Amino acid sequence: MTTVTGIRVRPDLHYLTSGWSMLVTDVHGRVPDGGWPGFYVANTRVLSREDITVDGRAPTPFSTGTVGTHAQLSYAEVTDGEPLPSRGTYLLTRRFVGPGLRTRLTLARYSDQPLAARVEIALAADFADATEVERNTWRRSPSVETRWDETAGELRLVDQESGLDRQVVIRVDTAPAAGRATASYVDHRLVVTVSVPAHGETSVDLLVEPVVDGQRLPAPPPHYTEPDDPAGRARATLTMELTRLRSRNPDLTAAWRTAITDLAGLPLGQPPGPAAPIAGLPVYQHLFGRDTLTVSWQALLAGPTMLRDSLRLNAAHLGQRIDDWRDEEPGKLLHQHRRGPLSELGHDPLDHYFGDFATPPDFLVFLGQYLAWTGDLDTVRQLLPAARKVLAWLDRYGATDGFQTYRTRSAVGVKNQGWKDSETAIVDEHGRSVPNPIAPSELQGYWYAALRHSAWAFAACGDRGYAATLLAQAAKLRRRFHRRFWLPEYGCYAMALDPHGRPVRSVNSNDGHLLATGIVPHPVARRVADRLFAPDMFSGWGIRTLSDQHPAYNPFSYHRGSVWPVEAGTIGIGLARYGLWSHLHRLVKATLETARLFEGHRLPEALGGLPRDSAHPHPGVYPRSCSPQAWSASTIIALVQALLAFRPVAALRTVLVDPHLPEWLPDLELEGVQVGHATFDLQVRRRARGRAAVRTRGDRVAVVRMPTLQTLWSSSPILSA
């Protein structure tokens, strides 16, 4: 079979990001009119066109590359249409994204003659919502006013739509040592006349500074490093913190390197949790509750700061009231928080939307996990009041007839509010969409894990009585769940219970989540795993969201047969939990070989569900897939944790491990692992018959070899994590 490499998702675009700001260019670093390109702030496109000419001609681009996640460098040749000898002049375009945007335009002259050039920049802003751009569906046509301030040398574009304060200020800043430059505004273009010395260069900076709700957001400083803002500081912290990996397996090394680079570059920068990550680019540059938490949990082996900040940020958005428009209830946690015009003007409820049943239990599970990894009782105590309210919501509003059951109340809300949240994700065995109310299987597993992990947090903080109550509630839920959801004739669990309490008999990937939560009884765990790896579910690239034998199967749908890399991380943890090593090795190998297909070993948001065979040398991707996608990055880290069966107990300065490295992974070394106050390197080498040698160096930590099955039914949810 022909080897496929270097696949790019949305191959015509480049992205730069910093916090709530995102620059989308074409592959040449330009911002043409139309499509996705533009500069976005707070989910609003504040620059929709930037057309640069030199002496009336567009420079010819020939090289563009991103530098980290927030900078870009492009080269273009400045031609005059004449044969050689050429003018020997080139345009270097450097982009720097912070709260605002700085574009440095440098004319470099490689001729023995000086140059006087007229640089013209046509600019426009449409103040479109990012959702309108994504869907190419326009609900608004705001009138844009143009103002030129000759004294200040500033062009101001203003969205005049009533009730929405969105503006952008654009000005030219000349580099003091680069020669003389003057700027004016003529015929809707900024005009800059520059003088370039022979064998020299001249630079001018174009500063784009959005104004959002009265606050002018500054462009990065001229001598650019990391901007001194919450997102920039969070990037710097994560870049220093995130664990490095070395291995003789080149795919794992490359995929890990890309994963931590992406994660370090994607913090939202929003207090009180600035290191909490966005979900993905270009669609999800805002707060997604479950995504933020899942990413940070899967990435714990690389560092704890993201999870600490994700817990803090989600706790700050706890539901306060009954609000049907937002599907809000007291104690419910946020689905998503957007700041785009459609949300701000009330066209949708996504300015603060609570239509998600996964975020509340996730918060509780990951609170316990954060404590296990860090021993940070101070942070956990601060979050326990929110945890109590979430637990109360799960009982009072979330549960119906003993199971977490959602029913959308908002007229424009999300219909399906579990892990698979697309409109047509929940289908019965005949391919029909299941109406609300629905009790999907994975939510019951999340609830079970939430009760156990929050019990650990409350016990550690002194409330042992409440912890015992939660553990007893979890045990009853586990028995109740297996009795109602188990389908012995299928060897798997029902996808959900329908409005009449009947099982939805559709074979799907939710069972992998159930393994991760521990709600699956040990005697049937292998049957569950075998069903996940049957040919109709395991494509060879990963586990499909829905069996390819199902009437509703569509390999390029969102949740009806696509393959989501994020599930591999969660499922991998579940397989390790039950000691299902051969299954885990198949999953990790497939995931790394999938990563090898893509540029930079970067896993996209969702793959096609096509089978891996001679007719399909690569699986394709979901058509509107994001890349980078934070939880596709974090899945690489989670899979390494699964291979090591790495279970920390920070309070005891101890790590439990049970490493199982396959033949194709002879070794790995992690540099800078953090457990509690200890930072250490962990070296694992495969020996004959699969036995692994484990060594550490750095701060003292006890490494105890213990099979996962010995801790599976421990009363401590941490030891069974």
Side-chain angles (χ1 to χ4, degrees):
M1 184 185 299
T2 303
T3 300
V4 176
T5 59
I7 298 171
R8 291 197 71 227
V9 178
R10 301 182 189 250
D12 54 337
L13 301 176
H14 283 306
Y15 313 117
L16 304 178
T17 182
S18 179
W20 283 92
S21 301
M22 172 179 67
L23 176 67
V24 183
T25 72
D26 67 11
V27 291
H28 302 298
R30 301 173 301 191
V31 183
D33 190 20
W36 258 107
F39 183 48
Y40 298 77
V41 173
N43 311 124
T44 307
R45 184 159 62 180
V46 298
L47 182 69
S48 57
R49 181 192 179 201
E50 178 202 76
D51 183 21
I52 301 171
T53 60
V54 178
D55 289 341
R57 292 180 177 272
T60 304
F62 58 86
S63 178
T64 299
T66 56
V67 184
T69 56
H70 51 282
Q72 183 188 79
L73 173 61
S74 301
Y75 296 94
E77 184 178 15
V78 177
T79 61
D80 56 9
E82 298 295 328
L84 292 176
S86 73
R87 303 169 75 188
T89 307
Y90 297 87
L91 175 67
L92 284 65
T93 304
R94 298 176 175 90
R95 309 278 196 182
F96 306 102
V97 175
L101 168 67
R102 180 180 292 267
T103 297
R104 175 159 294 173
L105 302 173
T106 301
L107 283 173
R109 181 75 166 160
Y110 298 96
S111 168
D112 57 4
Q113 298 293 321
L115 173 71
R118 177 185 174 95
V119 179
E120 298 186 6
I121 310 167
L123 299 158
D126 61 2
F127 298 100
D129 191 295
T131 299
E132 295 177 296
V133 179
E134 176 200 3
R135 298 173 181 172
N136 196 27
T137 301
W138 311 96
R139 300 186 62 178
R140 307 159 50 254
S141 298
S143 173
V144 178
E145 180 186 3
T146 301
R147 306 173 190 166
W148 169 250
D149 186 330
E150 186 73 39
T151 303
E154 292 184 344
L155 174 66
R156 185 179 294 260
L157 305 175
V158 182
D159 180 352
Q160 293 188 301
E161 183 161 349
S162 176
L164 192 65
D165 183 6
R166 295 288 190 272
Q167 305 179 30
V168 63
V169 179
I170 305 169
R171 61 189 176 90
V172 173
D173 184 25
T174 59
R180 296 183 297 106
T182 59
S184 58
Y185 186 65
V186 180
D187 294 331
H188 306 290
R189 294 173 176 264
L190 279 175
V191 179
V192 187
T193 303
V194 298
S195 176
V196 188
H199 299 290
E201 61 182 38
T202 296
S203 297
V204 295
D205 287 8
L206 186 70
L207 277 58
V208 179
E209 299 186 325
V211 180
V212 179
D213 298 331
Q215 180 182 8
R216 181 162 168 170
L217 305 177
H223 302 291
Y224 187 81
T225 52
E226 281 286 4
D228 188 22
D229 63 81
R233 291 191 292 272
R235 281 198 302 273
T237 296
L238 294 174
T239 299
M240 292 293 293
E241 174 186 275
L242 295 181
T243 301
R244 268 55 177 176
L245 178 144
R246 291 202 300 262
S247 172
R248 279 183 286 172
N249 182 300
D251 290 326
L252 177 59
T253 302
W256 183 286
R257 183 187 304 117
T258 294
I260 63 170
T261 299
D262 285 348
L263 292 172
L266 295 175
L268 185 59
Q270 181 169 323
I278 65 171
L281 298 176
V283 180
Y284 301 126
Q285 190 173 30
H286 52 277
L287 172 57
F288 255 96
R290 59 166 195 174
D291 299 55
T292 293
L293 289 165
T294 301
V295 170
S296 304
W297 163 63
Q298 287 196 343
L300 272 170
L301 186 60
T305 298
M306 281 192 298
L307 184 53
R308 181 201 64 195
D309 281 12
S310 294
L311 290 165
R312 288 175 172 172
L313 186 56
N314 278 275
H317 290 274
L318 203 64
Q320 303 295 321
R321 61 187 65 84
I322 300 290
D323 184 343
D324 286 354
W325 171 247
R326 293 184 169 84
D327 278 324
E328 179 181 2
E329 291 150 342
K332 194 177 184 183
L333 281 166
L334 200 66
H335 178 40
Q336 56 180 300
H337 164 47
R338 296 185 75 259
R339 299 170 62 193
L342 294 182
S343 302
E344 292 286 319
L345 293 170
H347 293 285
D348 63 47
L350 302 183
D351 58 334
H352 282 89
Y353 181 62
F354 293 82
D356 176 51
F357 270 54
T359 309
D362 281 354
F363 177 85
L364 298 169
V365 174
F366 305 150
L367 179 64
Q369 282 285 282
Y370 176 75
L371 179 59
W373 281 82
T374 67
D376 181 2
L377 284 170
D378 290 341
T379 295
V380 172
R381 285 194 181 99
Q382 293 169 11
L383 294 170
L384 282 186
R388 286 186 185 274
K389 293 177 181 178
V390 173
L391 284 160
W393 176 84
L394 287 166
D395 283 334
R396 180 176 180 183
Y397 296 100
T400 301
D401 295 330
F403 297 109
Q404 292 295 305
T405 306
Y406 57 73
R407 182 197 296 272
T408 303
R409 305 191 316 278
S410 176
V412 292
V414 174
K415 172 184 177 279
N416 291 313
Q417 299 189 7
W419 137 237
K420 294 180 170 74
D421 62 352
S422 55
E423 182 77 14
T424 61
I426 310 301
V427 287
D428 67 17
E429 59 266 39
H430 305 293
R432 298 173 302 207
S433 182
V434 178
N436 281 187
I438 301 172
S441 61
E442 85 284 1
L443 288 184
Q444 319 316 317
Y446 297 169
W447 189 16
Y448 170 79
L451 293 167
R452 289 173 56 78
H453 285 270
S454 58
W456 159 253
F458 280 103
C461 293
D463 197 341
R464 296 181 180 273
Y466 189 37
T469 299
L470 295 174
L471 289 175
Q473 186 180 355
K476 292 178 182 177
L477 170 60
R478 188 166 175 269
R479 292 190 295 269
R480 187 168 66 245
F481 170 76
H482 187 72
R483 187 168 60 248
R484 291 287 301 279
F485 280 76
W486 178 241
L487 302 174
E489 69 277 23
Y490 287 75
C492 66
Y493 288 91
M495 187 182 206
L497 299 182
D498 72 10
H500 305 288
R502 297 176 302 216
V504 176
R505 301 172 183 272
S506 297
V507 179
N508 71 106
S509 61
N510 286 0
D511 284 12
H513 298 241
L514 299 177
L515 291 172
T517 67
I519 199 171
V520 178
H522 180 258
V524 302
R526 184 171 291 275
R527 284 194 69 190
V528 170
D530 287 345
R531 189 66 191 87
L532 286 170
F533 283 84
D536 65 315
M537 283 298 296
F538 184 67
S539 72
W541 304 109
I543 293 174
R544 296 183 178 97
T545 44
L546 188 69
S547 165
D548 71 3
Q549 298 302 301
H550 195 281
Y553 167 73
N554 178 346
F556 296 111
S557 65
Y558 209 46
H559 291 123
R560 289 184 288 109
S562 55
V563 171
W564 282 67
V566 62
E567 286 199 292
T570 298
I571 295 171
I573 293 291
L575 295 171
R577 181 186 193 115
Y578 288 87
L580 300 167
W581 303 113
S582 62
H583 297 78
L584 175 62
H585 292 167
R586 287 183 70 191
L587 182 61
V588 178
K589 188 172 189 288
T591 303
L592 293 179
E593 289 174 345
T594 300
R596 185 196 303 162
L597 299 174
F598 292 91
E599 184 180 61
H601 283 67
R602 176 176 289 111
L603 290 166
E605 177 185 6
L607 309 168
L610 298 172
R612 185 175 182 177
D613 56 28
S614 59
H616 306 97
H618 70 85
V621 298
Y622 169 69
R624 292 187 291 277
S625 190
C626 287
S627 183
Q629 179 83 357
W631 63 14
S632 295
S634 66
T635 207
I636 298 296
I637 299 164
L639 287 173
V640 172
Q641 181 187 346
L643 289 169
L644 301 177
F646 191 101
R647 292 148 288 158
V649 189
L652 302 179
R653 206 178 180 92
T654 296
V655 173
L656 307 179
V657 297
D658 184 22
H660 286 71
L661 300 187
E663 291 184 5
W664 44 265
L665 182 58
D667 63 354
L668 62 86
E669 183 172 356
L670 295 166
E671 299 179 352
V673 179
Q674 297 178 61
V675 173
H677 296 294
T679 302
F680 57 95
D681 299 343
L682 181 71
Q683 185 182 79
V684 184
R685 294 188 181 278
R686 189 179 190 275
R687 291 179 173 173
R689 299 178 183 176
R691 180 76 173 173
V694 181
R695 297 178 58 186
T696 64
R697 63 173 178 266
D699 294 342
R700 182 180 59 83
V701 63
V703 178
V704 179
R705 299 182 72 114
M706 181 179 293
T708 53
L709 293 178
Q710 288 184 224
T711 59
L712 185 57
W713 308 121
S714 164
S715 60
S716 166
I718 299 310
L719 295 182
S720 63

